[in-house]
């Protein structure tokens, strides 16, 4: 019997780190059916991820869903629970919001890859309220009880998965804290070029990623106001772009969205990547190290697991808070120690997170759970030859088993 596989992703409207994980999961299980709340990718983007079409929820019918979905967070638990997985043997969810809350049957194995517990309901609730205008007035009165219910749903729905995989040790701790469950740690895949040809170092530092408030790009820009003789290039776009450009000094240049080849060139020629957000894992710092470039990062979250700040072969440095003075001080300290950071050390560190490693670890973890599920479903002697016994005898036999 050929195993039927379904892969569930929260939503598909842009290509980011979570979508790279989805791409590799689909590479491990070609022909798997993709399920998602809504899908507004174009055909070229879908081909890059590795699927032709997806099954979506009723949210797909909402106009401009890709732009308004953050305001629809309260509808998402109900929407994800309506997806039908009848006939599938293995269901893999790729979840940073609600995908892990799908409903499966007792003979279906559900493995949840957790990018993060639902951050909008937990530690990013205040950012979510700001972005949706819910800090004041009637919206605040309505939003806070809704987020309280979302936290309850997030914790309860985490029990539905048969096994959990966390994308970092940091996220494994968050899962334990919010859901009370243990998880296996498998870091996300990072595309690492074999033997990249290094480009000469430029004069610029680099900040890259989606321009949203929690990335703290504003603090990086403010730091370069304190260092007018240093140059910063900002790559990416997002809702904060206009605000960031308005506050930027002349030594900060915005590139917007760039293709992979140009991004690699900017990374390879940068003095260092500056990464000021507390990320669940953080693929960009690993990509920068793959190009031989050190990373100056906020000393919290996943960056602590991917950047080496001590020892004989450091690959970066940490600053304690996402504030301009701390970032500027870190940049100054890096410049004074620049000769200690080698391309080779950075590339060796990045190689620990390459794509083949993810595929191998992920399929091993899934196969282990499949074997465990088959063992749990085996017929027992009592199933084959039922006998009339007292309750006490049944209890003793069960304890002995």
């Amino acid at each position: 019997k050929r195993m039927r596989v379904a892969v569930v992703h929260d939503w598909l409207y842009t290509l980011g780190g979570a979508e790279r994980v989805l791409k590799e999961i689909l590479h491990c299980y070609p022909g798997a059916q993709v399920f998602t709340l809504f899908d507004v990718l174009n055909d070229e983007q879908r081909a890059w991820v590795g699927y032709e079409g997806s099954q979506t929820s009723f949210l797909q019918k909402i106009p401009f869903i890709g732009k308004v979905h953050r305001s629809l967070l309260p509808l998402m638990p109900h929407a994800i629970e309506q997806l039908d997985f009848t006939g599938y043997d293995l269901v893999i969810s790729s979840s940073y919001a609600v995908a892990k809350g799908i409903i499966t049957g007792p003979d279906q194995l559900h493995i949840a890859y957790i990018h993060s517990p639902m951050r909008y309901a937990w530690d990013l609730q205040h950012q979510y309220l700001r972005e949706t205008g819910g800090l004041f007035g009637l919206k605040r009165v309505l939003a806070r009880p809704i987020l309280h219910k979302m936290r309850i749903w997030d914790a309860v729905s985490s029990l539905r998965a048969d096994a959990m995989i966390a994308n970092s040790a940091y996220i494994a701790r968050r899962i334990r804290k919010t859901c009370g469950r243990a998880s296996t740690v498998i870091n996300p895949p990072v595309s690492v070029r074999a033997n990249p040809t290094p480009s000469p170092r430029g004069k610029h530092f680099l900040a890259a990623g989606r321009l949203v408030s929690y990335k703290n790009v504003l603090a990086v820009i403010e730091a370069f106001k304190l260092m007018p003789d240093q140059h910063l290039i900002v790559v990416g776009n997002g809702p904060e772009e206009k605000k960031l450009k308005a506050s930027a000094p002349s030594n900060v240049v915005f590139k917007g969205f760039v293709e992979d080849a140009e991004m690699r060139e900017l990374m390879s020629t940068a003095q260092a990547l500056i990464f000021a957000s507390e990320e669940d894992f953080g693929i960009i710092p690993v990509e920068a190290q793959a190009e031989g470039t050190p990373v100056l990062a906020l000393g919290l979250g996943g960056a602590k697991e991917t950047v080496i700040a001590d020892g004989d072969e450091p690959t970066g440095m940490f600053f304690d808070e996402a504030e301009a003075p701390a970032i500027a001080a870190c940049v100054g300290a890096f410049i004074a120690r620049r000769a200690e950071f080698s391309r080779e050390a950075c590339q060796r560190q990045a190689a620990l997170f390459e794509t083949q490693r993810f595929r191998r670890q992920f399929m091993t973890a899934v196969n282990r759970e499949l074997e465990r599920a088959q063992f749990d479903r085996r017929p027992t002697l009592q199933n084959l030859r039922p006998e009339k016994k007292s309750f006490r005898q049944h209890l003793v036999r069960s304890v002995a088993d």
Side-chain angles (χ1 to χ4, degrees):
K1 179 177 176 292
R2 181 174 177 271
M3 183 172 64
R4 294 192 63 197
V5 182
V7 178
V8 193
H9 196 66
D10 288 301
W11 49 73
L12 289 161
Y13 80 103
T14 189
L15 298 180
E19 287 67 42
R20 296 187 188 194
V21 173
L22 174 62
K23 176 182 179 179
E24 295 307 324
I25 292 174
L26 292 175
H27 184 276
C28 294
Y29 300 94
Q33 176 62 55
V34 174
F35 288 77
T36 186
L37 288 176
F38 63 89
D39 182 354
V40 294
L41 297 183
N42 59 42
D43 290 341
E44 183 179 352
Q45 291 171 318
R46 289 171 183 163
W48 181 86
V49 175
Y51 73 102
E52 293 182 357
S54 59
Q55 295 192 31
T56 58
S57 73
F58 62 82
L59 296 180
Q60 181 73 28
K61 299 178 181 179
I62 297 177
F64 309 107
I65 182 61
K67 295 182 178 180
V68 304
H69 66 277
R70 289 188 179 184
S71 298
L72 302 176
L73 187 64
L75 296 178
M76 292 181 181
H78 175 65
I80 204 72
E81 290 177 346
Q82 304 313 303
L83 296 178
D84 183 5
F85 297 97
T86 301
Y88 291 95
D89 306 294
L90 171 64
V91 185
I92 301 169
S93 58
S94 166
S95 179
Y96 52 88
V98 297
K100 73 178 185 312
I102 58 173
I103 297 175
T104 55
D107 291 329
Q108 294 174 303
L109 180 65
H110 172 200
I111 298 177
Y113 187 93
I114 308 296
H115 305 277
S116 173
M118 193 189 301
R119 299 195 69 180
Y120 290 129
W122 298 96
D123 47 324
L124 288 186
Q125 66 166 318
H126 299 295
Q127 176 198 332
Y128 173 77
L129 290 171
R130 280 193 297 271
E131 292 177 353
T132 57
L135 280 178
F136 306 101
L138 180 60
K139 284 188 176 181
R140 173 176 178 172
V141 173
L142 296 174
R144 292 183 183 277
I146 289 174
L147 291 179
H148 174 69
K149 291 184 178 180
M150 293 294 288
R151 284 190 287 275
I152 295 173
W153 182 88
D154 191 49
V156 171
S157 65
S158 69
L159 301 175
R160 297 174 185 172
D162 296 290
M164 282 190 166
I165 300 173
N167 75 349
S168 66
Y170 171 64
I171 288 304
R173 293 194 298 272
R174 294 187 71 237
I175 292 171
R176 172 74 74 177
K177 188 176 184 67
T178 60
C179 308
R181 289 198 62 174
S183 54
T184 301
V185 176
I186 300 179
N187 297 129
V190 179
S191 178
V192 177
R193 289 192 296 170
N195 303 315
T197 302
S199 301
R201 291 284 185 207
K203 295 182 179 180
H204 67 277
F205 289 82
L206 181 67
R210 185 155 170 77
L211 302 183
V212 291
S213 59
Y214 82 90
K215 297 287 187 180
N216 297 320
V217 179
L218 179 60
V220 179
I221 291 173
E222 293 292 330
F224 277 78
K225 285 183 180 180
L226 304 176
M227 302 179 291
D229 55 333
Q230 301 297 331
H231 300 276
L232 175 69
I233 292 178
V234 179
V235 173
N237 49 29
E240 295 277 302
E241 184 172 357
K242 185 176 180 180
K243 174 184 175 181
L244 295 174
K245 286 182 176 179
S247 66
S250 59
N251 60 331
V252 175
V253 175
F254 288 80
K255 288 282 189 177
F257 172 81
V258 301
E259 298 294 341
D260 284 348
E262 185 177 356
M263 173 67 90
R264 291 184 184 278
E265 181 67 14
L266 288 169
M267 285 180 170
S268 179
T269 57
Q271 294 289 320
L273 174 79
I274 303 179
F275 193 72
S277 61
E278 181 181 352
E279 292 286 350
D280 307 322
F281 173 72
I283 288 179
I284 288 178
V286 181
E287 290 178 331
Q289 292 174 87
E291 298 301 319
T293 297
V295 177
L296 310 182
L298 179 65
L300 297 171
K304 294 284 285 185
E305 302 174 42
T306 60
V307 178
I308 301 174
D310 302 313
D312 297 331
E313 293 188 328
T315 66
M317 299 175 65
F318 295 119
F319 44 90
D320 295 331
E321 54 185 359
E323 300 291 342
I327 296 171
C330 186
V331 171
F334 168 77
I335 292 172
R337 297 176 50 194
R338 189 156 33 197
E340 300 177 24
F341 301 89
S342 71
R343 285 188 181 274
E344 293 75 19
C346 292
Q347 289 166 345
R348 281 194 294 271
Q349 175 66 3
L352 299 176
F353 304 95
E354 53 86 27
T355 300
Q356 291 297 332
R357 181 270 323 162
F358 172 84
R359 295 173 183 173
R360 183 172 59 253
Q361 291 182 346
F362 187 81
M363 294 190 72
T364 298
V366 172
N367 289 340
R368 182 172 60 246
E369 294 302 327
L370 283 168
E371 291 174 3
R372 183 177 299 168
Q374 290 173 355
F375 181 81
D376 290 343
R377 294 171 192 156
R378 75 196 190 290
T380 64
L381 184 62
Q382 187 172 351
N383 296 144
L384 296 174
R385 295 188 307 172
E387 302 175 4
K388 291 184 178 181
K389 293 184 178 181
S390 68
F391 174 77
R392 177 176 291 182
Q393 289 174 313
H394 278 300
L395 181 60
V396 171
R397 176 65 179 273
S398 297
V399 171
D401 289 343

